[in-house]
């Protein structure tokens, strides 16, 4: 696990997008897994700037991580809407190359199976962007999700519902269920890029990096993956025991690029 600590979210976004750009230049039809939420927004803004400067993303393929059950793509709270607004349109991605989970599919089991098959048919995800919830969830895999779980319908915890209510008029409007890639599905991506900002993520970050691997802390499953980059700010890094060591490792690298 490579850990990069920097308080400048723009600098971190540039490091991630450098990695995406290098990947796309080498493999124009790379498969990019995208997270929604506040944390990765600077990455999508930086990616947009690169596209405006000439980077061609017309061949890349996109997979989403999760979606609320019952919200369709035209609902402004849906993750499909977010992905269209922040990634597909500004980065000029071909909509035919995008596969997101549908929260309004009649048969969610069939939707999940079809989604998994689509990832397989694409040759797997090359780089997966991830965020982490305060309780350690990744995608919508809440604590106690199996570390081997696959894409499926899941229930959201009170903590997640409360955190997401900031985007709604009232907490009662927040959907209680989602369809989400499983932890086992996520672990099959070739490179996982996790971002977490602010002291309120400190507990999840500490447990993800330095805690035991446990279904109670879904993000700790990243310890089982051979190629993980974690980009965090000082707030999120505050309670790490070995922060100085991670800083030393990064600063002593020949180039400031992700492994
Ligand atoms: C979103 C997702 C979630 C978020 C997490 C952090 O697609 O998978 O796991 O990454 O809830 O969200 P933010 O970045 O808003 O703090």
């Amino acid at each position: 696990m490579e850990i990069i600590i920097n308080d400048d979210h723009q600098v971190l976004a540039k490091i991630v997008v450098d990695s995406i750009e290098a990947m796309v230049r080498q493999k124009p039809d790379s498969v990019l897994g995208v997270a929604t939420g506040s944390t990765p927004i600077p990455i999508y803004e930086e990616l947009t700037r690169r596209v405006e400067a000439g980077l061609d993303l017309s061949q890349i393929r996109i997979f989403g991580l999760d979606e609320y059950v019952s919200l369709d793509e035209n609902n402004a709270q849906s993750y499909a809407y977010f992905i269209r607004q922040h990634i597909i349109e500004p980065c000029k991605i071909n909509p035919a190359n995008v596969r997101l989970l549908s929260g309004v599919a009649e048969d969610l089991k069939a939707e999940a199976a079809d989604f998994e098959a689509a990832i397989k048919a694409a040759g797997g995800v090359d780089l997966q962007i991830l965020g982490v919830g305060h309780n350690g969830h990744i995608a919508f895999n809440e604590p106690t999700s199996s570390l081997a779980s696959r894409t499926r319908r899941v229930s959201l915890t009170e903590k997640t519902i409360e955190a997401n209510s900031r985007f709604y008029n009232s907490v009662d409007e927040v959907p209680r269920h989602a369809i989400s890639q499983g932890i086992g599905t996520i672990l099959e991506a070739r490179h996982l890029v996790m971002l977490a900002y602010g002291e309120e993520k400190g507990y999840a970050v500490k447990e993800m990096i330095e805690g035991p691997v446990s279904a109670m802390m879904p993000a700790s499953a990243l310890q089982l993956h051979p190629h993980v980059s974690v980009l965090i700010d000082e707030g999120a890094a505050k309670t790490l025991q070995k922060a100085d060591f991670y800083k030393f490792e990064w600063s002593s690298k020949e180039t400031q690029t992700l492994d």
Side-chain angles (χ1 to χ4, degrees):
M1 203 182 265
E2 178 167 58
I3 297 148
I4 300 117
I5 304 171
N6 192 315
D7 254 346
D8 189 334
H9 298 173
Q10 301 300 328
V11 168
L12 295 177
K14 280 189 180 140
I15 292 169
V16 173
V17 178
D18 283 348
S19 199
I20 295 173
E21 178 163 355
M23 174 179 81
V24 173
R25 290 200 186 279
Q26 214 196 345
K27 181 184 171 194
D29 64 345
S30 290
V31 180
L32 180 67
V34 295
T36 64
S38 319
T39 317
I41 287 178
I43 291 182
Y44 304 138
E45 289 172 348
E46 177 62 22
L47 199 56
T48 302
R49 279 191 283 276
R50 305 267 175 118
V51 169
E52 282 162 1
L55 176 66
D56 179 12
L57 297 182
S58 62
Q59 290 182 60
I60 72 162
R61 291 160 299 158
I62 297 275
F63 283 89
L65 269 180
D66 44 9
E67 182 59 279
Y68 288 112
V69 165
S70 79
L71 301 193
D72 70 28
E73 59 183 354
N74 297 317
N75 186 311
Q77 306 299 347
S78 73
Y79 286 174
Y81 191 94
F82 175 102
I83 291 168
R84 199 165 68 234
Q85 292 271 308
H86 291 273
I87 311 167
I88 312 302
E89 286 176 1
C91 295
K92 301 187 173 75
I93 286 159
N94 180 355
N97 293 344
V98 179
R99 176 66 165 98
L100 307 179
L101 281 159
S102 168
V104 291
E106 246 173 60
D107 182 343
L108 290 173
K109 267 196 183 156
E111 168 64 3
D114 188 73
F115 183 85
E116 291 264 351
I119 294 183
K120 211 167 242 171
V125 173
D126 291 306
L127 187 151
Q128 175 65 57
I129 297 168
L130 292 170
V132 63
H134 304 127
N135 62 359
H137 74 220
I138 51 172
F140 269 136
N141 295 284
E142 299 283 31
T144 73
S145 293
S146 159
L147 301 184
S149 51
R150 310 301 306 186
T151 303
R152 71 212 181 285
R153 178 185 186 273
V154 294
S155 303
L156 308 187
T157 61
E158 278 307 314
K159 207 164 178 181
T160 299
I161 293 165
E162 197 188 296
N164 290 346
S165 67
R166 68 191 193 274
F167 301 114
Y168 292 80
N169 292 325
S170 97
V171 72
D172 298 331
E173 289 176 21
V174 187
R176 266 48 184 171
H177 300 280
I179 178 164
S180 176
Q181 282 195 34
I183 298 174
T185 318
I186 293 168
L187 290 180
E188 283 172 5
R190 284 181 272 280
H191 182 189
L192 301 180
V193 177
M194 161 64 78
L195 297 124
Y197 300 147
E199 272 183 48
E200 66 274 17
K201 295 282 174 79
Y203 164 71
V205 166
K206 159 103 182 129
E207 294 299 309
M208 167 175 77
I209 298 172
E210 298 176 344
V213 174
S214 160
M216 280 300 280
M217 176 51 61
S220 67
L222 269 55
Q223 294 176 32
L224 301 170
H225 193 284
H227 190 188
V228 179
S229 309
V230 178
L231 298 98
I232 51 180
D233 61 13
E234 294 284 354
K238 208 167 172 182
T239 52
L240 286 174
Q241 215 180 315
K242 305 232 173 265
D244 289 342
F245 175 66
Y246 310 140
K247 286 180 186 172
F248 163 69
E249 272 200 309
W250 176 250
S251 64
S252 54
K253 275 184 89 167
E254 250 170 55
T255 58
Q256 305 287 283
T257 53
L258 300 183
D259 275 347

